[in-house]
């Protein structure tokens, strides 16, 4: 978007110096100092090529620009050329593009023809989605949306942890207690039911060796493909998915692939064969391992257990290859907590050792932990509200929605019940999600309802309100200014209007930074800045009548409403890209 401003500048310079536009474009940059205009051109390279002193070229170009771009002021500051535009000039360059495509500030085609796999959420089944799952789920979800907005083909993958010895135990417990499908069906929350069963069988196995043996036998039967074991495993998996879908539904998250660990369980032979034939596999106490000491990993990677069973690492290797076969990815990302850094480091090193064409395309998008404020302890605690109890994601989301409902009812009692519920949902969920995304992902996240739902803070609800405020101005304009003329950009003359336009134009840089660093916080912060710019523009009207969007001069109002529409669309789309809903009324 900023390119729309840069292009005419680069064009004029290119023409004047008889150069290619493409050569000059990269030299036109955002100002290096605050107050140094809207764009700058460091003239060193250009001057060198012309064999003149940079300051001289800067002032020569300043003259050229002033005469070729109406509304531009150009001046030389030493070797730098600084350019500023009048608000109307900026509006004239940007608003038509934004009218054609309201989301254009948050679009980019840099990913066209490229594909990316994003492995995110990927919980273990027969367990609840805990509060910490918000991180992988929503970082992954927003990256998926942002990659899509940048033209990439995105495969959203939920690599369910649906394999392992825990399932043998569960089956053993189920059989011992003579449970039936109707028992599970009757449970309010099926995962809670399975958890409780798991606790009972584990306690029994500890007390009685024969129970532990039963559990092992069932694990083995499951691995060997025994029909009864498989059927029960499927029951557990379906029950878990039913619960997961409720939470994903609340969050508005979807996946394209649900191939989990179990899918790869019988597809491991080629992986092992390849490691074997490349001479990477060695024996260690009956187990098969890959030695990565040359790559700096002290411990060899366990690929196959002595009893023949495969492991998480092996299944990930198989899944990686399978994704490449299916999606021919240019990038494959794993949105998984930083604690699994070693697991991915090792996996990527194996891919390299195998000379995989995709070895350099793998990325671990790690993140820190989430801490919840505890009133009793007066501290942010990890993972649990009460000691030892897992804090469920659904519980946090629902509590946030309940609190949001109270805020919404107070703020706007005129909304119908249904509307209040919908807004409370958007605000409650948005509070949790935005709190998670607003800071760099590698840091830990602190969560406190009051902070996340603070309308004056750097929060989702602050952004949602800014968006709803713009919507309401548009509605008022539509109902009271039906016979307004078409908005003329020449009437946008205020600096705060120009500021909003520039903030919109800079969104694409935030998008690029987000992609380059897999860091949704870049977009989140840019949206906060945009909202702040919008707010100071709109607030000017409360002191100065002439600054109001809808004021006495219909022609001016019509021009301003175009900027309102552009800002509203950009903010709304930015929120969507982060995974938030932007209600039109709040
Ligand atoms: N199921 C794993 C866990 O809960 C996360 C899986 C992440 N994805 C992967 N391809 N390893 O820890």
């Amino acid at each position: 978007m900023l390119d729309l401003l840069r292009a005419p500048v680069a064009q004029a310079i290119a023409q004047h110096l008889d150069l290619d536009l493409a050569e000059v474009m990269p030299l036109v940059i955002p100002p290096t100092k605050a107050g140094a205009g809207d764009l700058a051109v460091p003239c060193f390279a250009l001057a060198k090529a012309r064999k003149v002193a940079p300051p001289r070229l800067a002032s020569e170009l300043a003259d050229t620009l002033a005469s070729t771009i109406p509304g531009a002021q150009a001046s030389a500051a030493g070797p730098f050329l600084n350019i500023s535009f009048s608000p109307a000039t900026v509006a004239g360059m940007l608003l038509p593009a934004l009218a054609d495509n309201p989301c254009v500030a948050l679009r980019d085609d840099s990913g066209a023809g490229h594909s990316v796999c994003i492995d995110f959420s990927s919980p273990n089944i027969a367990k609840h989605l805990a509060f910490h799952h918000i991180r992988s789920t929503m970082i992954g979800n927003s990256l998926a949306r942002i990659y899509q907005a940048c033209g990439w083909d995105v495969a959203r993958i939920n690599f369910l942890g649906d394999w392992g010895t825990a399932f043998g135990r569960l089956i053993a417990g189920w059989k011992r207690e003579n449970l039936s499908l109707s028992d599970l069906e009757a449970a309010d929350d099926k995962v809670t039911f399975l958890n409780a069963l798991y606790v009972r069988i584990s306690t029994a196995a500890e007390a009685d060796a024969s129970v532990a043996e039963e559990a092992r036998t069932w694990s083995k039967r499951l691995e060997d493909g025994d029909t009864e074991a498989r059927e029960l495993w499927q029951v557990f998996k379906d029950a878990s998915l039913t619960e997961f879908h409720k939470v994903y539904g609340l969050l508005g998250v979807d996946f394209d692939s649900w191939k989990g660990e179990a899918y790869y369980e019988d597809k491991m032979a080629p992986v092992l064969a390849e490691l074997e034939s490349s001479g990477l596999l060695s024996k260690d106490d009956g187990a098969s391992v890959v030695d990565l000491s040359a790559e700096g990993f002290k411990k060899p990677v366990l690929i196959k257990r002595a009893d023949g069973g495969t492991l998480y690492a092996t299944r990930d290797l198989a899944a990686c290859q399978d994704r490449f076969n299916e999606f021919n990815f240019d990038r494959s990302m794993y949105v998984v907590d930083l604690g699994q850094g070693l697991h991915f480091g090792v996996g990527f090193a194996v891919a390299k050792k195998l000379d995989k064409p995709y070895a350099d395309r793998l990325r671990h998008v790690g993140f820190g932990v989430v801490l919840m404020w505890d009133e009793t302890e007066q501290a942010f605690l990890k993972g649990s509200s009460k000691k030892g109890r897992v804090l469920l994601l659904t519980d946090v989301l629902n509590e946030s929605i309940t609190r949001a409902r109270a805020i919404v009812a107070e703020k706007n009692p005129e909304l119908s019940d249904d509307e209040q519920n919908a807004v409370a949902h958007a605000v409650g969920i948005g509070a949790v999600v935005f709190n998670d995304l607003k800071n760099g992902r590698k840091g830990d996240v602190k969560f406190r309802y009051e902070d996340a739902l603070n309308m004056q803070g750097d929060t989702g609800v602050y952004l949602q309100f800014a968006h709803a405020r713009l919507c309401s101005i548009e509605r008022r304009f539509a109902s009271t200014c039906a016979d307004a003329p078409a908005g003329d950009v020449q009437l946008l003359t205020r600096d705060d209007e120009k500021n909003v336009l520039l903030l919109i134009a800079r969104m694409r840089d935030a998008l690029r930074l987000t992609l380059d660093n897999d860091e949704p916080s870049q977009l989140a912060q840019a949206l906060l800045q945009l909202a702040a710019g919008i707010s100071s523009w709109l607030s000017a009207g409360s002191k100065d009548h002439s600054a109001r969007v809808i004021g006495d001069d219909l022609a001016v109002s019509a021009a301003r409403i175009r900027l309102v529409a552009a800002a509203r669309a950009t903010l709304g789309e930015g929120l969507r890209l982060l995974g938030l809903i932007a209600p039109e009324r709040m």
Side-chain angles (χ1 to χ4, degrees):
M1 267 254 107
L2 212 50
D3 284 1
L4 289 175
L5 296 184
R6 293 165 63 220
V9 172
Q11 181 71 51
I13 296 177
Q15 207 153 34
H16 183 75
L17 300 179
D18 200 15
L19 294 169
D20 277 347
L21 179 63
E23 264 177 278
V24 185
M25 265 307 256
L27 300 174
V28 186
I29 57 177
T32 41
K33 272 206 305 255
D38 304 323
L39 292 173
V41 182
C43 293
F44 306 100
L46 293 173
K48 195 168 173 200
R50 303 251 299 180
K51 298 200 171 63
V52 292
R56 217 186 104 202
L57 185 66
S59 58
E60 183 184 324
L61 291 176
D63 294 342
T64 310
L65 283 179
S67 62
T68 43
I69 308 178
Q73 275 188 344
S75 61
F80 287 90
L81 170 64
N82 292 336
I83 304 128
S84 14
F85 301 102
S86 69
T89 307
V90 178
M93 289 175 182
L94 299 180
L95 283 181
L98 284 157
D100 281 353
N101 175 3
C103 296
V104 70
L106 287 163
R107 290 288 181 277
D108 173 333
D109 54 10
S110 57
H114 289 73
S115 82
V116 60
C117 290
I118 309 183
D119 174 327
F120 66 104
S121 200
S122 305
N124 297 330
I125 68 165
K127 284 192 191 166
H128 284 288
L129 284 177
F131 183 35
H132 69 82
H133 282 106
I134 188 80
R135 300 232 67 196
S136 172
T137 307
M138 297 319 281
I139 294 172
N141 179 63
S142 70
L143 287 175
R145 292 180 181 198
I146 293 167
Y147 269 86
Q148 239 153 15
C150 293
W152 293 70
D153 271 327
V154 178
R156 296 162 301 173
I157 301 175
N158 195 328
F159 184 67
L160 290 172
D162 52 4
W163 200 246
T165 49
F167 300 104
R169 274 209 167 172
L170 272 177
I171 298 171
W174 181 276
K175 299 295 291 179
R176 276 182 77 82
E177 295 187 15
N178 241 326
L179 294 173
S180 70
L181 291 185
S182 52
D183 296 316
L184 183 62
E185 275 314 314
D188 262 352
D189 180 320
K190 299 178 177 54
V191 172
T192 303
F193 179 92
L194 294 176
N195 273 182
L197 174 61
Y198 188 80
V199 172
R200 290 197 299 275
I201 183 72
S202 299
T203 318
E206 255 165 53
D208 181 344
S210 73
V211 178
E213 185 51 37
E214 252 169 64
R216 268 193 296 280
T217 310
W218 277 110
S219 286
K220 183 89 181 80
R221 283 176 71 171
L222 182 61
E223 279 191 16
D224 294 344
D226 171 279
T227 317
E228 188 182 9
R230 275 290 180 159
E231 276 171 7
L232 277 173
W233 170 85
Q234 190 65 49
V235 167
F236 301 155
K237 178 167 169 174
D238 292 346
S240 307
L241 284 178
T242 308
E243 299 303 328
F244 291 170
H245 279 303
K246 290 185 198 162
V247 186
Y248 291 141
L250 272 180
L251 290 168
V253 170
D254 265 325
F255 298 90
D256 305 302
S257 161
W258 291 85
K259 281 187 196 169
E261 291 189 49
Y263 174 85
Y264 295 100
E265 185 264 329
D266 60 353
K267 297 174 182 61
M268 229 66 88
V271 178
L272 295 167
E274 191 178 7
L275 287 167
E276 184 83 69
S277 66
S278 326
L280 293 183
L281 228 45
S282 49
K283 285 277 179 232
D284 184 3
D285 235 355
S288 305
V289 300
V290 173
D291 174 25
L292 289 173
S293 50
E295 282 69 26
F297 297 97
K298 282 199 201 95
K299 278 209 330 224
V301 203
L302 190 53
I303 295 288
K304 195 165 92 175
R305 289 197 314 253
D307 69 2
T310 53
L311 296 119
Y312 180 47
T314 333
R315 291 191 278 277
D316 247 333
L317 289 177
C320 187
Q321 177 69 49
D322 180 54
R323 289 172 193 177
F324 187 66
N325 297 346
E326 185 171 351
F327 302 107
N328 190 20
F329 58 73
D330 298 283
R331 205 173 272 184
S332 184
M333 315 209 288
Y334 298 85
V335 186
V336 186
D337 67 277
L338 285 169
Q340 295 200 28
L342 184 62
H343 168 76
F344 290 106
V346 159
F348 299 172
V350 172
K352 231 184 180 113
K353 275 210 162 234
L354 286 171
D355 263 334
K356 291 293 183 186
Y358 51 77
D360 291 324
R361 306 180 190 180
L362 310 172
R363 289 193 189 186
H364 174 208
V365 180
F367 51 80
V369 301
V370 51
L371 306 164
M372 174 61 120
W373 176 252
D374 187 292
E375 274 307 322
T376 337
E377 303 282 330
Q378 289 289 300
F380 287 99
L381 301 182
K382 193 177 153 185
S384 56
S385 54
K386 297 186 197 78
K387 274 207 183 74
R389 267 255 245 113
V390 185
L391 183 57
L392 303 192
L393 182 49
T394 347
D395 290 348
V396 177
L397 295 176
N398 285 326
E399 173 67 19
S400 189
I401 293 172
T402 307
R403 291 181 186 228
R405 184 75 164 73
I407 298 175
V408 172
E410 192 195 312
K411 263 291 230 203
N412 195 346
E414 278 129 58
L415 292 180
S416 72
D417 255 17
D418 280 354
E419 273 178 315
Q420 285 194 15
N421 286 337
V423 173
H425 178 274
V427 168
I429 303 280
V432 184
V433 173
F434 192 80
N435 186 74
D436 200 83
L437 297 179
K438 71 174 174 180
N439 292 320
R441 61 181 157 80
K442 289 188 183 158
D444 294 343
V445 167
K446 290 182 175 162
F447 184 84
R448 181 181 357 211
Y449 292 106
E450 292 80 355
D451 298 339
L453 284 161
N454 180 353
M455 261 173 303
Q456 266 82 48
D458 287 349
T459 57
V461 58
Y462 166 71
L463 295 175
Q464 287 165 324
F465 259 110
H467 174 267
R469 187 176 177 192
L470 295 167
C471 292
S472 112
I473 296 173
E474 283 183 278
R475 278 194 302 273
R476 198 145 47 84
F477 180 81
S479 66
T480 58
C481 307
D483 42 3
D488 175 1
V489 292
Q490 290 308 320
L491 298 172
L492 293 172
T493 53
R494 297 179 55 89
D495 279 341
D496 46 18
E497 291 163 348
K498 174 173 144 181
N499 183 42
V500 172
L501 283 161
L502 289 177
L503 287 165
I504 294 175
R506 278 189 214 117
M507 280 294 153
R508 210 179 266 177
D509 291 342
L511 211 56
R512 200 160 297 160
L513 285 171
T514 299
L515 278 206
D516 289 349
N517 306 297
D518 297 316
E519 193 59 91
S521 61
Q522 294 282 355
L523 176 58
Q525 293 296 330
L527 290 177
L528 288 171
Q529 283 173 21
L530 174 61
I534 292 169
S535 160
S536 59
W537 173 43
L538 296 181
S539 309
S542 54
K543 283 188 229 101
D544 170 4
H545 201 82
S546 73
R548 292 205 177 159
V549 172
I550 304 179
D552 302 331
D553 186 330
L554 205 53
V556 172
S557 304
R560 289 182 179 162
I561 210 73
R562 289 183 66 184
L563 179 54
V564 167
R568 182 259 306 146
T570 305
L571 203 49
E573 176 62 5
L575 285 169
R576 190 191 71 80
L577 290 178
L578 291 180
L580 276 79
I581 293 173
E584 293 184 1
R585 278 171 218 272
M586 287 176 65

